[in-house]
Amino acid sequence: MRLYLTVAAGGFRRYATYRVATFAGVFTNTVFGFIVAYTYTALWDERPRLGGYDLSQAVTYVWLGQALLMTCGMMGGGFEDELMERIRSGAVAVDLYRPADLQFWWMAGDLGRAAFHLLGRGIVPMVLGALAFDLALPANPLVWVAFLISVMLGVVVSFAIRFLVALSAFWLLDGAGAAQMGMLAGMFFSGLLLPLNLFPGLLGEVARVLPWSSLLQVPADVFLGRHTGWGLLGAYAFQAGWALALLATGRLLQSVATRRVVVQGG
């Protein structure tokens, strides 16, 4: 456990060194936050209570999306490019023989990355959004705690998805196509472009049960008080269920890939 805590701390420090990139990211998130917030304002002026949100909740959803964009890796980014390159070059064989679990190693580093982005790129846009707009901020501190738990589960789901994308390089050699598809799915099905509550009919029903909804839609609804009591436990169970299922799938593929590397190495 100490090893993985050290790796997580290293992941945090690694991203903390890119101060100019962090400042540029905060600026970009803030600018896009204002653009989308004003767009939502115009839309909700025409269609009040759209998707079950009032205007204040809708604008809050926008700023939550900007705060969690990098935290939950909705557009990808993080470890997967590096892992795919190690697979392509064969350097992953060294990783597989180390006395550390490949999946846990990369997950620990990604949790450190997510923690930095939540603090480094999440708080400032949210504060600026709150100064410029009437946001629906929870008065109950327990809601903030519940939100952070949901975000943590969303980060694990995001890692599990991106780990599967990275492992595809064992069979595809070049995982760029899989990474691109993962990015597009993450943007669309997380609710980053529009809340999934606005998706019509069967599309909305399918989108809300896919794992990507754990990255933004579920945490945002927890923050906005739409999941309380047993409903909150159900939201956690949904996220945890997807996390366990995807991590188990990743572990299975990792095992298959390990045997393949051992056979080829022999």
Side-chain angles (χ1 to χ4, degrees):
M1 180 60 71
R2 179 180 296 179
L3 170 64
Y4 300 116
L5 289 175
T6 301
V7 173
F12 186 99
R13 289 194 300 270
R14 176 183 180 183
Y15 283 88
T17 59
Y18 301 114
R19 295 181 183 136
V20 175
T22 299
F23 176 80
V26 169
F27 177 78
T28 303
N29 288 143
T30 302
V31 169
F32 274 96
F34 275 98
I35 293 172
V36 179
Y38 281 119
T39 302
Y40 272 40
T41 300
L43 179 59
W44 258 259
D45 283 343
E46 293 295 324
R47 298 283 303 276
R49 303 297 304 180
L50 186 62
Y53 299 127
D54 60 27
L55 177 58
S56 179
Q57 291 174 322
V59 175
T60 303
Y61 183 97
V62 170
W63 289 103
L64 287 172
Q66 295 305 310
L68 298 181
L69 175 61
M70 291 299 295
T71 302
C72 291
M74 283 175 260
M75 296 178 63
F79 72 93
E80 57 265 40
D81 290 340
E82 183 179 351
L83 178 53
M84 284 190 288
E85 176 58 27
R86 293 186 69 80
I87 294 171
R88 189 196 65 79
S89 66
V92 72
V94 177
D95 300 338
L96 293 172
Y97 281 107
R98 285 175 179 164
D101 183 82
L102 183 72
Q103 187 183 58
F104 286 167
W105 174 280
W106 289 100
M107 182 166 66
D110 197 59
L111 290 175
R113 174 206 62 81
F116 171 77
H117 281 310
L118 181 62
L119 298 174
R121 289 186 59 169
I123 292 178
V124 174
M126 195 73 185
V127 170
L128 293 176
L131 293 174
F133 298 91
D134 179 24
L135 300 188
L137 300 178
N140 187 346
L142 293 179
V143 176
W144 290 88
V145 174
F147 167 69
L148 290 176
I149 294 173
S150 184
V151 170
M152 182 184 68
L153 290 171
V155 169
V156 175
V157 172
S158 172
F159 164 80
I161 293 171
R162 289 177 289 124
F163 187 69
L164 288 174
V165 170
L167 291 184
S168 70
F170 275 110
W171 292 272
L172 300 178
L173 297 183
D174 183 1
Q180 187 74 14
M181 291 174 63
M183 182 193 74
L184 294 174
M187 289 177 59
F188 188 77
F189 290 112
S190 66
L192 179 62
L193 300 179
L194 278 175
L196 302 183
N197 297 340
L198 274 62
F199 286 18
L202 181 61
L203 175 61
E205 294 177 10
V206 171
R208 287 188 288 272
V209 299
L210 291 175
W212 291 280
S213 65
S214 297
L215 278 55
L216 173 58
Q217 185 68 59
V218 175
D221 282 341
V222 170
F223 187 88
L224 295 172
R226 294 169 65 92
H227 293 305
T228 58
W230 288 108
L232 178 59
L233 293 179
Y236 287 162
F238 173 81
Q239 291 179 289
W242 269 119
L244 291 174
L246 292 168
L247 288 174
T249 303
R251 184 158 294 279
L252 176 62
L253 292 181
Q254 175 184 319
S255 177
V256 173
T258 300
R259 288 198 295 270
R260 181 181 180 184
V261 170
V262 170
V263 169
Q264 290 179 345

